[in-house]
Amino acid sequence: RQGAARNRGLSVAQGEYVMFVDADDYVNVGLKDALNRIEQSNADVVFCKYSIMTFAQKEVENSIPISEKQVYTGSDFCSNYYDTSVGNYVWAYIWRRKSLISINRIFIEDRRYEDADWIQEVLFACKRIVFSKANVYIYHCVNNNSTTHTISTDTLADWVHMAYRQWMFAEEIKNDAPLYYDKLICSCRHIVNGHFSFRRLSRFTPRQVRDIFSRVGKPAMNYLSGKEGWQFFPKLCFHIPRLVICIIAIAYPLATLGRRLTNIYRKIR
């Protein structure tokens, strides 16, 4: 898993700065400018501009409305700029290694999408965050075999469990950073609506759906469908798709059997 690899990399790293790079992406020429920015500002982390290589093999530079002159606290940065473009992309940041050591937050190792909740907590804990307009990273999104584009019972369950971990962290900082709390909760709802819908579940057999729920785990299931989280993840989100899929799974073979028996009856007559 990527979480274990990243933890291992951090444990053996010796340099002053750390950057995470996915195997199918590459670093751009703006890296030197970004390093100068974090060094001159004595920041814990610098958030960098990046480009996305689309399926049409076109490089699209991301537009990020952040001032390059200002130094932000973790709370201010997350409250004002955390969204889909300034969010769970661990590769879009260059980190000061000593700052990561002092924050002491490791990646979760037993599930995918381990970078989302890691970056949410680490960014919030940082004291000095800066932005660099230098284009540092090229994200290659055309790999159909990547973790982001692979859909399975494991990945679907891990998405939901990530929403659960994100929800729990949001509750911890609710009073200290209410704006950031609202953004995290919106992100949780987006994760569930996008990855745990009936349309997505209908791709799996009833047995696979049961496996997804077991992979999510009882703590997450109980919390997200319980009294505290009912607005975010009502019990119907679990039971209705499962019920419909089971009905379809039972009705289809029965209908097929009915047609065969009808044809046999007609031949006998």
Side-chain angles (χ1 to χ4, degrees):
R1 293 292 174 89
Q2 291 174 325
R6 285 172 171 158
N7 287 333
R8 174 61 177 164
L10 285 174
S11 68
V12 300
Q14 299 294 322
E16 188 172 354
Y17 303 106
V18 173
M19 184 178 184
F20 300 97
V21 180
D22 289 349
D24 53 349
D25 302 334
Y26 53 95
V27 178
N28 211 346
V29 293
L31 179 61
K32 184 177 179 180
D33 293 333
L35 286 172
N36 289 334
R37 178 76 179 110
I38 188 174
E39 186 173 355
Q40 293 170 3
S41 60
N42 194 30
D44 299 313
V45 58
V46 55
F47 175 64
C48 308
K49 206 167 187 179
Y50 59 89
S51 297
I52 297 176
M53 186 67 71
T54 66
F55 283 88
Q57 293 296 317
K58 182 180 179 181
E59 185 178 320
V60 179
E61 187 171 274
N62 195 29
S63 177
I64 302 171
I66 303 179
S67 172
E68 193 177 29
K69 299 179 181 180
Q70 189 170 347
V71 178
Y72 303 90
T73 65
S75 178
D76 289 340
F77 184 85
C78 294
S79 297
N80 292 298
Y81 298 109
Y82 180 86
D83 57 20
T84 54
S85 62
V86 186
N88 305 331
Y89 307 122
V90 71
W91 39 256
Y93 299 84
I94 300 175
W95 309 85
R96 190 178 296 275
R97 188 172 65 89
K98 290 183 179 178
S99 299
L100 291 182
I101 293 173
S102 63
I103 294 172
N104 193 27
R105 174 68 165 87
I106 64 172
F107 289 93
I108 189 170
E109 296 188 358
D110 61 339
R111 292 181 182 271
R112 297 169 179 83
Y113 314 113
E114 74 295 330
D115 51 351
D117 49 322
W118 182 89
I119 201 170
Q120 290 160 3
E121 297 184 28
V122 172
L123 276 179
F124 187 74
C126 287
K127 297 178 180 179
R128 296 176 62 85
I129 300 176
V130 294
F131 172 66
S132 173
K133 291 183 179 179
N135 193 320
V136 171
Y137 198 86
I138 308 297
Y139 173 62
H140 206 252
C141 71
V142 298
N143 184 2
N144 291 324
N145 296 319
S146 67
T147 300
T148 305
H149 295 100
T150 303
I151 300 176
S152 66
T153 56
D154 287 344
T155 57
L156 207 57
D158 289 349
W159 268 111
V160 179
H161 202 274
M162 182 188 70
Y164 164 66
R165 300 194 305 269
Q166 185 170 306
W167 176 278
M168 297 300 289
F169 173 65
E171 292 294 334
E172 293 179 11
I173 54 95
K174 183 176 182 179
N175 296 328
D176 297 329
L179 290 177
Y180 188 33
Y181 167 82
D182 291 339
K183 290 188 176 186
L184 289 176
I185 296 304
C186 288
S187 176
C188 289
R189 294 192 177 109
H190 173 74
I191 291 171
V192 173
N193 292 334
H195 297 278
F196 213 74
S197 61
F198 171 71
R199 179 181 179 184
R200 185 66 60 88
L201 287 176
S202 63
R203 303 183 183 186
F204 302 99
T205 66
R207 177 172 293 181
Q208 288 175 320
V209 173
R210 289 194 300 271
D211 181 57
I212 291 172
F213 286 102
S214 64
R215 284 275 298 140
V216 170
K218 286 187 178 181
M221 289 277 288
N222 293 338
Y223 185 84
L224 295 176
S225 62
K227 182 178 180 181
E228 296 181 9
W230 70 272
Q231 290 182 328
F232 160 63
F233 211 177
K235 291 183 179 180
L236 291 178
C237 288
F238 292 110
H239 299 309
I240 287 181
R242 219 170 13 174
L243 179 62
V244 172
I245 292 174
C246 289
I247 291 175
I248 294 174
I250 295 173
Y252 181 78
L254 287 178
T256 303
L257 178 61
R259 287 194 298 268
R260 290 180 179 177
L261 291 175
T262 301
N263 292 334
I264 293 173
Y265 176 75
R266 288 174 180 174
K267 289 180 180 179
I268 293 175
R269 291 186 62 187

